[in-house]
Amino acid sequence: MSLIHQVLVPAMYLLSATLFITGLKQMSKVRSARSGNRTATTAMAVAVVATLLQLGLVDYRWILAGVAIGGAIGAFAALKVEMTSMPEMVALFNGLGGGASALVALSVMWQRGYGGGASQTLWTSLGPVSMITVCLSVLIGSVTLTGSLIAFLKLQGKLKKGAPILLPGHHALSAVLAAGTLASAVGLSAAVPGTTLVVWLVLLVVLAGILGVMVTVPIGGADMPVVVSLLNSYSGMAASAAGFVIGNPLLIIAGAMVGSAGLILTNIMCVAMNRSLLNVLLGGFGMEATSGGGDSEYTNVRSTSPEEAAMVLEDAESLIIVPGYGLAVAQAQHAVRELASVLEKRGCQVRYAIHPVAGRMPGHMNVLLAEADVPYDQLVEMDEINPDFKNTDVVIVLGANDVVNPAAIDDEKSPIYGMPILLTHEARSVFVVKRSLSPGYAGIKNPLFDRDNTNMIFGDAKKVVQALINETKELDKAA
């Protein structure tokens, strides 16, 4: 074995693993998240070079073609995909990662167990460890691929507008599919090269793919942040299993890091919604209440204009902005940043209250506001900012709904009862910017809209904020 394989490649793998860990640590803080992304990108580049060195003399034409095509797609996505579509892209990338891991395992299985002309069973030719990891990689990778595609379609609103879908006998059917995939894996292990092996292989992939669909379709839009995080964890576990299959220690490490980080984040999301992961996976959240929240449900709603809201802001010494998905859809982050700058020049303290499940993926609002160069120290997490609402002059809610719904603490019969929310209703004045009184993902009425200290400003978030900016500047000139 050459010096490159004995010393250089292991050293590069160690460096890459260290950079991955450092990058992940940096991403845990908003202020250092961009540096963390660059660090992790460097780690991946080192890992790719080390892997190519380990392979030695290979035909690089296919590799370079893959790099060129994949790089072009990635560059196009980075430049063209809107921030509002970032959750969909993340879901799609999760699926592609799972699919890639499954393909790696399938190629190894085919080469060693079939293409090599072996006459013994796969369990014997591959060995117990390799056989188990191969099956896990195919199973988890296939579930991740199809599950992520369903999540992508739900986030796009192309599959029943993101609503949960529960088929008759859904859970029983899912259990049968899970048992079928395990049976297929056992059958595959006992198969010898030939038609029987191919049948078991196809059966495992197909059943695992259908299982991925079945575990994702019953999950509604309100649970999308949890789903995206969980599928990300699945893709990491599939990659780690693929690392065992091909004997690549760095892939094992990186996959395990993604898998464990995804599970931790999934748990954080579930805690933020006061729900168990099992409850999320069983699905159907909000199905029984999807008709709530229409105009007829409210009796004390007061509508106001940006001009009147600007007059209230004129005397405000403190403002908390609550961003939601409506802000993302309207691309209002830059306008919000400008409004904050105008008010800060008056001496008003401006902060942003970030709920863990606001938007459609974990950290969606942080990423969106960071794009508009909102200072990191103004982004305050829910637990830290909640005690301050009662001493805040004005709160502006931009497109958020369920995460500010007082029913979560007032109504024991509400499907979101017990879910931690932002205590916006405790502020002296609340302005809610929405296009209409339509309900959020939970499909229920929001009593905040009926509160005496709340005024609705109906319209597109960006246009409303721009109107607020203009009215505020006019008041400044008049003064």
Side-chain angles (χ1 to χ4, degrees), residues 20-305:
F20 274 129
I21 295 171
T22 302
L24 188 61
K25 177 63 177 176
Q26 290 175 318
M27 289 182 192
S28 65
K29 301 292 183 182
V30 175
R31 188 178 298 276
S32 58
R34 290 184 177 178
S35 298
N37 194 36
R38 288 192 291 267
T39 301
T41 302
T42 303
M44 182 57 71
V46 173
V48 170
V49 173
T51 301
L52 293 176
L53 289 174
Q54 185 182 37
L55 290 174
L57 296 176
V58 295
D59 188 347
Y60 282 94
R61 288 176 296 180
W62 286 104
I63 294 175
L64 292 176
V67 170
I69 295 172
I73 294 173
F76 176 81
L79 294 172
K80 296 296 184 181
V81 173
E82 299 288 345
M83 287 302 300
T84 50
S85 300
M86 195 60 66
E88 291 96 308
M89 190 175 76
V90 171
L92 192 59
F93 281 0
N94 286 340
L96 294 176
S101 299
L103 287 176
V104 168
L106 288 171
S107 65
V108 170
M109 186 186 302
W110 186 266
Q111 179 187 26
R112 298 180 185 176
Y114 188 83
S119 59
Q120 52 193 356
T121 65
L122 281 181
W123 183 269
T124 304
S125 61
L126 293 179
V129 174
S130 293
M131 189 66 231
I132 291 173
T133 53
V134 162
C135 290
L136 284 175
S137 186
V138 174
L139 172 59
I140 301 173
S142 299
V143 168
T144 305
L145 174 61
T146 56
S148 296
L149 290 176
I150 295 299
F152 171 80
L153 293 174
K154 280 179 167 285
L155 288 168
Q156 286 263 308
K158 295 180 178 179
L159 188 63
K160 206 178 177 180
K161 297 184 178 179
I165 303 172
L166 278 175
L167 303 175
H170 185 103
H171 301 311
L173 181 57
S174 296
V176 171
L177 284 169
T181 56
L182 294 177
S184 300
V186 173
L188 185 63
S189 302
V192 296
T195 305
T196 304
L197 183 146
V198 176
V199 171
W200 282 116
L201 189 60
V202 172
L203 192 61
L204 174 61
V205 173
V206 171
L207 289 179
I210 297 174
L211 181 62
V213 173
M214 294 297 292
V215 298
T216 310
V217 292
I219 301 175
D223 292 323
M224 274 300 119
V226 181
V227 176
V228 172
S229 178
L230 186 61
L231 289 170
N232 182 56
S233 176
Y234 286 172
S235 69
M237 290 187 286
S240 186
F244 279 102
V245 171
I246 63 176
N248 188 301
L250 184 60
L251 189 55
I252 296 172
I253 295 171
M257 288 173 58
V258 173
S260 58
L263 285 176
I264 292 171
L265 186 57
T266 299
N267 181 64
I268 293 173
M269 296 295 105
C270 289
V271 170
M273 299 173 69
N274 192 38
R275 303 177 63 207
S276 68
L277 179 58
L278 180 62
N279 183 254
V280 171
L281 294 177
L282 289 177
F285 180 63
M287 290 187 69
E288 70 283 353
T290 53
S291 61
D295 291 6
S296 61
E297 296 288 326
Y298 297 96
T299 58
N300 192 42
V301 170
R302 294 182 299 174
S303 176
T304 191
S305 66

Side-chain angles (χ1 to χ4, degrees), residues 303-452:
S303 176
T304 191
S305 66
E307 181 181 4
E308 293 173 332
M311 294 176 66
V312 176
L313 286 171
E314 185 179 19
D315 298 323
E317 296 181 358
S318 56
L319 168 68
I320 295 178
I321 298 172
V322 180
Y325 188 66
L327 178 144
V329 171
Q331 290 286 286
Q333 63 271 26
H334 295 284
V336 169
R337 177 70 181 95
E338 183 181 353
L339 175 64
S341 298
V342 171
L343 295 175
E344 285 169 343
K345 290 179 181 178
R346 291 180 172 181
C348 180
Q349 180 194 38
V350 180
R351 291 180 295 169
Y352 302 79
I354 309 298
H355 193 282
V357 295
R360 292 195 176 184
M361 73 175 184
H364 193 185
M365 295 299 103
N366 300 71
V367 173
L368 198 69
L369 294 170
E371 183 194 28
D373 294 322
V374 172
Y376 298 137
D377 56 1
Q378 291 185 3
L379 304 178
V380 189
E381 299 299 327
M382 175 180 64
D383 292 338
E384 184 179 346
I385 204 168
N386 262 347
D388 297 340
F389 277 107
K390 58 177 178 258
N391 298 317
T392 299
D393 292 327
V394 180
V395 168
I396 299 179
V397 179
L398 293 165
N401 200 322
D402 298 327
V403 298
V404 295
N405 192 333
I409 56 178
D410 296 337
D411 186 1
E412 294 185 7
K413 297 181 180 179
S414 172
I416 65 170
Y417 180 73
M419 170 182 166
I421 62 166
L422 293 165
L423 304 179
T424 55
H425 56 280
E426 294 184 352
R428 296 184 181 94
S429 295
V430 180
F431 294 101
V432 178
V433 179
K434 278 176 60 69
R435 293 177 182 273
S436 68
L437 290 172
S438 60
Y441 284 128
I444 59 175
K445 174 184 176 180
N446 189 341
L448 175 66
F449 304 163
D450 262 336
R451 296 252 176 168
D452 291 336

